Amino acid sequence: IAGRDEAVTPQALRRFDFSAAGAKLIASVPGRHTGPERELWGHMAVRRALGRQTFQRRFKGAPILCQFSSLGSTKAEWFDEIAASFG
């Protein structure tokens, strides 16, 4: 696993064999969701998906790569929520 201070670059990623890797595509829907729908979208869905996975100990603290938009319109409370999701 790359060191924590190493940048995640295409060159760094090429050192690993991802042929057996799986992926999850998790959609994000605009708005604030409550109740059962809260865990269906965005970072809450990522939190739920990660909670259902078992990872080898060597992956503890490994980076998680995500793409999202609308960061400029985000409120400070959201950063606390996302920090808890990726904990």
Side-chain angles (χ1 to χ4, degrees):
I1 292 181
R4 290 182 184 224
D5 294 331
E6 183 174 341
V8 178
T9 64
Q11 293 78 18
L13 293 174
R14 284 188 194 103
R15 296 191 329 230
F16 300 95
D17 177 8
F18 292 102
S19 61
K24 287 203 174 287
L25 178 61
I26 297 176
S28 182
V29 176
R32 185 114 177 124
H33 306 285
T34 59
E37 285 197 2
R38 181 178 173 149
E39 293 186 359
L40 297 178
W41 313 108
H43 74 91
M44 295 299 287
V46 173
R47 180 190 299 189
R48 189 168 134 228
L50 289 173
R52 292 179 172 182
Q53 297 296 314
T54 303
F55 297 98
Q56 294 176 14
R57 184 177 201 129
R58 65 186 179 140
F59 292 109
K60 183 172 177 64
I64 298 172
L65 303 179
C66 300
Q67 184 280 325
F68 56 92
S69 59
S70 302
L71 187 61
S73 62
T74 325
K75 295 184 179 176
E77 302 88 46
W78 184 81
F79 289 104
D80 293 335
E81 287 182 26
I82 201 164
S85 291
F86 297 113

